[in-house]
Amino acid sequence: MSSSSQPPPPPPSGTDSLEDTISRLSNYRNVHGVMILSRQGGLIRTEGEAFGGEQGRVYAKAVKGIVEGVRAGVVEVDEGDDLRLLRIRTKKHELIITPDEKYLLVVLQDPS
């Protein structure tokens, strides 16, 4: 009887959790790519056709600049605030950017 009262196993951590997250996001129907960047803008991991080859480096550079600019604007308006989520929608795509202290998670999807 005591076995049924045991707590569930802890969630996966580290690389397993990252791989699970990338896999889960990549499997959504409208998602064309998932990218993990270092805070300096270096590519760590990409998944999906949208971020393959040179295109991934182009997106990485653009995302780094966008995040730095928006973060500076947020801090300028309110020094105690910080950027948590950035959603950019164009005619063709939607970028969802989640900045973290060490990484940037970027998801590119079809907005329709």
Side-chain angles (χ1 to χ4, degrees), residues 52-112:
E54 183 61 28
Q55 193 67 12
R57 287 184 281 283
V58 170
Y59 269 105
K61 183 177 178 181
V63 166
K64 179 182 181 273
I66 291 166
V67 169
E68 287 175 351
V70 172
R71 174 170 269 147
V74 168
V75 170
E76 186 176 323
V77 170
D78 184 351
E79 195 171 320
D81 208 354
D82 198 14
L83 181 63
R84 296 290 180 190
L85 177 81
L86 187 57
R87 191 171 180 170
I88 302 168
R89 188 169 181 168
T90 69
K91 289 181 184 178
K92 296 180 181 180
H93 298 109
E94 184 173 47
L95 274 170
I96 301 167
I97 305 166
T98 309
D100 182 73
E101 288 180 22
K102 296 180 182 179
Y103 307 103
L104 301 172
L105 171 65
V106 182
V107 176
L108 180 76
Q109 66 182 11
D110 181 346
S112 58

Side-chain angles (χ1 to χ4, degrees), residues 1-6:
M1 287 189 203
S2 62
S3 64
S4 64
S5 63
Q6 291 181 357

Side-chain angles (χ1 to χ4, degrees), residues 41-53:
L43 280 170
I44 294 175
R45 174 99 161 52
T46 63
E47 182 75 31
E49 69 220 33
F51 296 136

